[in-house]
Amino acid sequence: QRHLLAIEGLEPPYIADMLDLAESYALLNRSGKTQRDLLKGRTLINLFFEDSTRTRTSFELAGKRLGADVINMSVSTSSVNKGETLLDTASTLNAMHCDLLVVRHAQSGAPALLSQKVDAAVINAGDGTHEHPTQALLDALTIRRRKGRIEGLIVAICGDVLHSRVARSNIHLLLTMGARVRIVGPPTLIPAEAERFGVDVFTDMRAGLDGADVVMMLRLQKERMTGGLIPSSREFFRFYGLDAEKLAVAKSDAIVMHPGPMNRGVEIDSAIADDPVRSVIGEQVEMGVACRMAVLDLLSRNLRRNT
Ligand code: CP
């Protein structure tokens, strides 16, 4: 793998190796003994055309912990505002001999397009409604740590699946690794191609959560909704928001996940989000740094061979 553009198409051994490496970084991070010179002399540029808290910060931390020079390009103060195209921006960064380019963009396929134009290894940090591969890796690592396995688990992915790149990457990864995946949401927020993914589709939240090992909530992405199809927050919470009563039908040891940012009281009740036993949302963020270190480590091995 020269780039990480999507989970779709990755083989189980590659994903398992990535998770094993990420686990080793998770342990190092907890012990404070992170290796610091693996990416010495390498340059990582964070190129985010959409807002981010977790992904951008954790790529910055991951790069710095491995010794890379990290540059966060602020798109809002860059020449993109003067009309520079995506490809011209990429060519400019390429001319500076950037080694690793982390890209988030509102258009599905933008990181793949860039990967054909630049010498750097390109990492998709979320493109439109397509994929968010490092989110799926950190989610899988969190599940594996809590449940000891992925294979055979029932994972319910709930809410605005239609607009969610997190859901797509998770569906591909979890099915590839042998989980049983359910998607749960209102008919208007279920993608038309859902059955083709090989998941079970539920429009009733309690039926979808019944017996689940993992309940993964998604953010209601109002910014990607058009026309009059935006559900009211209150109504959405009533039918699809995760509260104690709905969670009660999942397994008694089911874990609750959310990729963030969370809309409390819209897709998840605050008491559930903050439940120290059921909620693993903080651990997801922690595993984000470890997974991104693993991704940078693996991709940089190919950089070393190529240069
Ligand atoms: N989960 C996620 O991608 O969060 P950010 O938008 O804050 O990066």
Side-chain angles (χ1 to χ4, degrees):
Q1 282 280 133
R2 191 166 154 236
H3 309 285
L4 180 63
L5 302 173
I7 295 293
E8 187 175 18
L10 297 183
E11 298 293 334
Y14 186 85
I15 294 171
D17 285 351
M18 186 87 84
L19 295 180
D20 290 344
L21 185 59
E23 175 65 35
S24 69
Y25 277 119
L27 296 174
L28 273 178
N29 285 342
R30 281 205 177 165
S31 72
K33 291 185 198 147
T34 305
Q35 188 177 343
R36 294 199 181 263
D37 58 358
L38 194 69
L39 297 182
K40 195 168 175 355
R42 297 291 188 187
T43 303
L44 181 157
I45 298 184
N46 270 326
L47 181 60
F48 279 57
F49 292 85
E50 281 189 331
D51 296 342
S52 171
T53 298
R54 283 146 285 267
T55 312
R56 191 167 72 168
T57 310
S58 59
F59 267 114
E60 181 176 359
L61 257 178
K64 286 182 172 167
R65 285 190 182 166
L66 295 176
D69 297 319
V70 180
I71 293 166
N72 289 313
M73 239 195 81
S74 169
V75 169
S76 61
T77 55
S78 74
S79 288
V80 170
N81 270 353
K82 299 177 194 160
E84 188 167 68
T85 66
L86 174 65
L87 290 182
D88 284 340
T89 302
S91 303
T92 303
L93 301 178
N94 201 44
M96 296 180 198
H97 301 295
C98 149
D99 297 295
L100 295 144
L101 190 57
V102 180
V103 184
R104 171 170 287 189
H105 201 281
Q107 291 296 322
S108 299
L113 181 68
L114 286 189
S115 72
Q116 295 162 17
K117 307 285 177 192
V118 298
D119 299 319
V122 176
I123 301 165
N124 180 1
D127 62 330
T129 58
H130 173 228
E131 281 225 32
H132 190 351
T134 56
Q135 179 70 44
L137 288 167
L138 75 88
D139 289 339
L141 184 60
T142 307
I143 292 171
R144 210 176 71 161
R145 295 184 119 226
R146 287 296 179 124
K147 295 285 170 196
R149 66 194 164 100
I150 295 173
E151 190 173 3
L153 294 178
I154 298 175
V155 182
I157 302 178
C158 309
D160 181 3
V161 181
L162 180 66
H163 300 101
S164 178
R165 54 200 180 202
V166 172
R168 276 175 188 70
S169 285
N170 265 297
I171 288 167
H172 290 306
L173 190 151
L174 292 165
L175 290 176
T176 301
M177 301 309 280
R180 288 166 56 193
V181 179
R182 299 173 178 174
I183 60 176
V184 187
T188 50
L189 296 178
I190 300 284
E193 74 275 25
E195 308 279 1
R196 187 177 59 77
F197 290 148
V199 298
D200 295 316
V201 177
F202 294 83
T203 53
D204 179 84
M205 187 78 168
R206 286 171 190 81
L209 296 193
D210 190 15
D213 297 285
V214 177
V215 181
M216 186 182 291
M217 302 308 298
L218 301 170
R219 183 172 67 85
L220 195 58
Q221 300 192 34
K222 290 189 174 176
E223 76 277 16
R224 298 192 206 279
M225 296 177 192
T226 50
L229 293 173
I230 302 178
S232 92
S233 299
R234 187 188 299 212
E235 188 130 347
F236 185 84
F237 184 71
R238 187 167 153 228
F239 290 103
Y240 295 101
L242 187 66
D243 56 16
E245 192 225 320
K246 295 190 193 89
L247 182 59
V249 302
K251 286 207 177 117
S252 58
D253 62 350
I255 56 170
V256 174
M257 309 181 78
H258 194 302
M262 270 187 289
N263 294 307
R264 290 171 183 262
V266 179
E267 62 259 358
I268 190 165
D269 185 58
S270 259
I272 301 292
D274 298 333
D275 183 323
V277 178
R278 310 296 291 274
S279 169
V280 296
I281 294 168
E283 189 168 341
Q284 286 175 268
V285 176
E286 183 187 353
M287 292 309 119
V289 179
C291 281
R292 284 155 185 145
M293 290 173 81
V295 169
L296 296 178
D297 180 339
L298 277 182
L299 295 186
S300 72
R301 295 177 196 182
N302 287 336
L303 281 180
R304 281 196 289 277
R305 278 202 292 277
N306 290 340
T307 51

